[in-house]
Structures are given as structure tokens and as C-alpha cells.
Amino acid sequence: MITEIYCVSGISGVKDHVFISSGENVSLSCNNALSDCKSKTTWSYNRFRHSATVALIELGIKNKDTEKHERLSLESDCSLNIKNVTEEDYGLYNCRQYVNGQKQGTDAPVYLYVLHVSVSPTSSSSSSSSSSQTEISPGRSVTLSCQLYSYTGFSCDDWVRSEGVELLWVNQAGVDLKTDSRYQILSSSDQYRCIITLTTTLLNEDNNREWRCRLTHRNQPETSVRYTVKYSEAQTLRRHQAELQQQLLHKVHDHIQEKL
């Protein structure tokens, strides 16, 4: 899986919006950091609006009561590092600075959006995750579901109208797959996800074919996840054997026709 990561500004009038795919590492900047700030920094987290606030870092010390504390670290510039991001990590992260118990300056919010791709049917080797490969066979129907998780609670339609945020399935050349009748592309949403699915029947030539779920903001690409279909060696061998057998049959048929 290859993922491009970008930070953008201007969405809903708040800067520091970070888009990333699940499985990657990310660093969230604290824009109100003080000098020698590490022992003065508190990071808190809300997964969605009106949810309880969770303290992740308190005055430079990790809160070990949180599920993801082992994946967190605080840098010397007070940025918050998250390893192996999951779709559950989306939300609002907030950095505050304290000196002698007194809050300093304004909060520094960072909105984290997580792009996650799952495949159906799944295989034992890939499960439902952002793995870039899955062992599936030609002739079967496959559905790739690309989901963008966000804290905002806005519908996808609202995003498209107000900010031009959109999900697309494209091929290796960057062409929107909606233009190809071979693919069925459907968009949907719920309160915290924009979803776009790609469904197609796999062909022999799809082995190692790449499809990309791309997030655009005001028609500019922001982040994407590349998904590669890979058939197993046994499937590839059987396919090659079938092709050779077919070629042999054609040669025998042509030879017989020549003798007649």
C-alpha cells in the first residue's frame, strides 16, 4: 500500500486538518508550543462531537488508561505521534500548554481524518483492513469499500457543497472509474463517514492491477490509498496451464485442418 499524506487548511475555518490512511504513522503538530514545552503539554481527544474528552498526554506524561497509549509518543516540539493509525483514531485532537498550572495561550486543535479501505470477499491473509493486496480469484465479484472517517458530523453532500471534499476510485493513470462501464461505483454516507464502493468481476488480466481511492479537496488531490489485486501463485499457475492447454488445442486443431 502506498499512501500520500497532506495537511490542509481552511475547512470550516479551522486550520490543521490532517488526512491519513489506516496503518500509517502520523505526527500532529502543536501550533501553540512553548520553548522547552514537553513537560508543559497536554493533548486531549474527542472522537466525535459531544463525546467525552479523553486525556492522552498530561503535562508530558502519557495516560496509560487509554487503549492506544502504547502507540502514542510526544516529541520535543510537543507534536503528538500516533503509530499504526486505525479508523478508530479519527477525531479532534487538542494541544494545550500550561505553566505553573496556568493555561498559556489558546488551544491548538488538529482534526484527524482517516481513510480506510476494506475488501469483500476477504481472504485469510488480508482480513478487512487497508491491506493493499488480497488473494482472490478471477471470475469472482469483488467490492472495495473506501471510507473517510471524520469528526465533523457533516454529511458528504455538505462537504461537497461547502468545501469540495470528494472521494473517487481511479485507475493507475488517474482516470475516474465511473467512466468505465465495467465498474459499479456507489457513494453513501452516515454521520461520521463518507463511503464510496467499487464493485467489479475480476478478470485474468487483473492480477497486479492497481485501483486507487483518492480524496480530493477543491479538485486537488489530498491523499489516496492504492489497492493492488494479487492472485495466489497456485491460481496463476492454473491460469497459465489452462492458457497453454488452450494454445496446444488450437495448434492441434490447426495441424489437423492442414492435413485434411
Side-chain angles (χ1 to χ4, degrees):
M1 178 178 61
I2 303 175
T3 305
E4 301 92 22
I5 304 169
Y6 298 80
C7 298
V8 299
S9 61
I11 298 178
S12 302
V14 183
K15 63 182 178 179
D16 291 323
H17 291 249
V18 178
F19 296 93
I20 193 171
S21 73
S22 57
E24 299 296 315
N25 302 331
V26 68
S27 182
L28 307 181
S29 298
C30 181
N31 287 331
N32 63 355
L34 304 174
S35 59
D36 187 29
C37 68
K38 196 165 183 179
S39 64
K40 305 169 184 176
T41 300
T42 292
W43 277 96
S44 59
Y45 166 71
N46 295 80
R47 179 171 296 170
F48 44 83
R49 293 177 184 273
H50 311 302
S51 65
T53 300
V54 177
L56 301 175
I57 306 284
E58 295 185 271
L59 300 179
I61 300 174
K62 286 197 295 183
N63 178 4
K64 294 186 177 181
D65 292 333
T66 62
E67 293 181 1
K68 54 188 172 186
H69 76 273
E70 293 182 351
R71 296 187 289 115
L72 303 178
S73 61
L74 187 65
E75 290 295 304
S76 58
D77 64 356
C78 298
S79 59
L80 179 68
N81 293 335
I82 309 174
K83 292 182 179 180
N84 192 23
V85 169
T86 75
E87 64 270 31
E88 300 296 326
D89 289 329
Y90 78 93
L92 169 62
Y93 292 78
N94 193 53
C95 183
R96 287 182 178 179
Q97 300 292 307
Y98 291 88
V99 174
N100 297 324
Q102 297 297 315
K103 177 183 168 184
Q104 302 296 304
T106 59
D107 290 353
V110 183
Y111 291 81
L112 183 63
Y113 303 80
V114 179
L115 195 65
H116 178 76
V117 173
S118 59
V119 60
S120 176
T122 59
S123 73
S124 58
S125 63
S126 66
S127 70
S128 180
S129 68
S130 286
S131 170
S132 63
Q133 298 180 342
T134 181
E135 293 185 358
I136 44 185
S137 58
R140 297 187 66 182
S141 176
V142 65
T143 297
L144 302 179
S145 178
C146 181
Q147 303 158 69
L148 177 66
Y149 290 79
S150 76
Y151 165 90
T152 60
F154 298 139
S155 71
C156 293
D157 290 341
D158 290 338
W159 271 24
V160 171
R161 283 195 300 268
S162 63
E163 297 294 342
V165 173
E166 187 177 15
L167 295 178
L168 300 171
W169 278 107
V170 300
N171 62 17
Q172 289 173 284
V175 176
D176 189 346
L177 292 177
K178 283 183 179 178
T179 62
D180 191 329
S181 60
R182 189 197 152 186
Y183 304 96
Q184 182 181 16
I185 309 292
L186 296 175
S187 298
S188 61
S189 65
D190 58 27
Q191 190 174 5
Y192 298 103
R193 290 183 303 170
C194 292
I195 306 166
I196 184 169
T197 59
L198 175 153
T199 300
T200 190
T201 298
L202 294 172
L203 307 176
N204 286 337
E205 55 266 32
D206 285 332
N207 190 32
N208 293 319
R209 188 182 297 277
E210 176 188 288
W211 294 303
R212 187 186 313 170
C213 179
R214 187 173 69 188
L215 168 67
T216 65
H217 174 228
R218 296 175 181 168
N219 296 321
Q220 297 299 314
E222 296 294 349
T223 188
S224 67
V225 179
R226 302 176 186 181
Y227 194 97
T228 304
V229 173
K230 187 172 180 63
Y231 300 148
S232 68
E233 291 183 7
Q235 290 168 340
T236 302
L237 179 60
R238 286 195 297 269
R239 187 172 68 254
H240 287 168
Q241 289 174 336
E243 291 172 351
L244 290 173
Q245 185 178 26
Q246 192 67 27
Q247 291 172 8
L248 180 59
L249 289 173
H250 282 304
K251 289 182 179 180
V252 171
H253 179 268
D254 292 342
H255 181 70
I256 293 173
Q257 291 298 317
E258 290 175 359
K259 294 294 185 180
L260 293 177

